[in-house]
Amino acid sequence: MAGETVITIVGNLTADPELRTTSAGAQVASFTIASTPRTWNRNTNQFEDGQALFMRCSAWRDLAEHCARSLAKGMRVIAQGRLQQRSYQANDGSNRTVVELQVDEIGPSLRYATAQVQKMQSGGYQGGNANGGGYQQPQQAQQQSQVPADDPWGAPAGEPDF
C-alpha cells in the first residue's frame, strides 16, 4: 500500500449501493458520494453551495454486503479509501480514464443523524494475529464464539454504563 493516495470524503449517497458478485465469487458494492462545499457569503449573509464532486466508490467482500445492508440514498457518510485510476476502451472506440475510491472504511455521519451499530457475529473473517490482521476461513454459524466481557460491541443494547 505504500505510495497509494488515501483520502477521506464526506458527502451524501446519490443512490442505494448496488451489490453484485464477480465471476470469481467476490461481492462488490458500487455507489456514488456527492460532496458539495459550502461557503458563507458575507454580502448576502447566507451559505452558498459550490460545485459538487461526485466520487464513484466501490467496497469489496464483507464490507460490500455491510454497505448494501446499512446505507441508502441520501445518507450522509464518511468514507476513507484509496484512489484508483484505470483506463479502458469505450464502446465507441475512444480511450477513457476513470478515478474511483476503493473504500476501506465507511460509516454514517452523526452530524445530523443518529445510528445504531450492530457488530456482525458470523460471515466475517477472524483476525489471524494478536493485532487482528490476517485472514482465516469464515466463521461457521454453529461455531460462534462467546463475546469477551470487555468487548464494548458485545454489550446488549439498552442503558449505557455510565
Side-chain angles (χ1 to χ4, degrees), residues 79-160:
Q80 182 180 41
R82 294 163 280 133
L83 286 180
Q84 304 278 307
Q85 178 177 307
R86 59 186 170 84
S87 299
Y88 66 96
Q89 190 169 29
N91 291 341
D92 63 3
S94 63
N95 292 325
R96 298 190 182 177
T97 301
V98 294
V99 175
E100 72 176 17
L101 182 67
Q102 188 168 340
V103 176
D104 293 322
E105 300 284 341
I106 189 168
S109 170
L110 300 182
R111 185 171 189 172
Y112 304 115
T114 61
Q116 189 169 13
V117 178
Q118 179 180 359
K119 184 177 179 181
M120 299 305 294
Q121 293 293 326
S122 64
Y125 288 95
Q126 290 281 4
N129 62 29
N131 296 329
Y135 291 103
Q136 294 178 351
Q137 293 299 317
Q139 294 177 340
Q140 298 300 322
Q142 69 271 19
Q143 293 178 344
Q144 289 183 2
S145 61
Q146 292 289 346
V147 176
D150 62 347
D151 184 358
W153 298 106
E159 294 298 317

Side-chain angles (χ1 to χ4, degrees), residues 17-33:
E18 295 177 21
L19 186 64
R20 62 185 170 81
T21 304
T22 66
S23 58
Q27 288 189 311
V28 60
S30 299
F31 49 93
T32 300
I33 298 174

Side-chain angles (χ1 to χ4, degrees), residues 7-14 32-38 49-57 83 99-101:
I7 67 164
T8 301
I9 185 170
V10 178
N12 297 69
L13 294 181
T14 61
T32 300
I33 298 174
S35 180
T36 307
R38 298 192 83 192
D49 289 339
Q51 188 168 350
L53 167 72
F54 293 91
M55 179 60 65
R56 197 70 189 139
C57 302
L83 286 180
V99 175
E100 72 176 17
L101 182 67

